[in-house]
Amino acid sequence: MKINEKRLKSIIAESLKKVVNEASYDANGNFDEESHNSDLKDKFKSVLETLEQNISNALSELCYIQNATTDENIRNKARIVLDDLVNMGPLVKQVYRSVKADRWDI
């Protein structure tokens, strides 16, 4: 049996949902809010770390495109996206820094 990357990602996502849902209940089948939220905090941190890496990669690629292109339209569009990524809102930066420091008081 062969599966493509998209299907593999789907299988992994479904499995993770099941594990998170199962981890949210204790041995008696009662919902464990603390465990549930702890799992979600870990997932949130992981998503932000992935996002940071993807943004970093995008910035590098867009800088290359902007500097390498001879087409002014491409250069301008790359600059717009670069500016937007670099100047993301201060609240987003604050949340990212606090989550990275494991502070959830915002």
Side-chain angles (χ1 to χ4, degrees), residues 6-101:
K6 183 178 177 181
R7 179 65 185 136
L8 179 60
K9 286 181 180 181
S10 173
I11 292 169
I12 292 170
E14 290 170 21
S15 297
L16 283 173
K17 282 182 190 177
K18 288 178 184 176
V19 169
V20 168
N21 284 336
E22 289 171 6
S24 299
Y25 293 88
D26 64 17
N28 297 322
N30 298 316
F31 183 70
D32 183 349
E33 184 176 351
E34 185 177 328
S35 174
H36 176 75
N37 286 327
S38 176
D39 291 341
L40 291 175
K41 283 180 182 178
D42 291 343
K43 184 175 177 97
F44 190 81
K45 287 170 79 171
S46 175
V47 167
L48 287 182
E49 289 169 1
T50 300
L51 181 61
E52 179 187 37
Q53 184 60 47
N54 288 339
I55 288 173
S56 177
N57 291 342
L59 288 170
S60 295
E61 292 295 323
L62 288 166
C63 282
Y64 169 76
I65 290 167
Q66 177 187 325
N67 293 324
T69 188
T70 59
D71 184 320
E72 193 63 30
N73 289 325
I74 295 172
R75 181 176 293 111
N76 289 338
K77 289 189 184 308
R79 181 78 256 152
I80 290 168
V81 176
L82 281 165
D83 288 344
D84 203 40
L85 287 173
V86 168
N87 296 315
M88 79 176 126
L91 187 55
V92 172
K93 290 178 184 178
Q94 182 181 6
V95 168
Y96 179 76
R97 284 191 303 268
S98 69
V99 168
K100 197 168 182 178

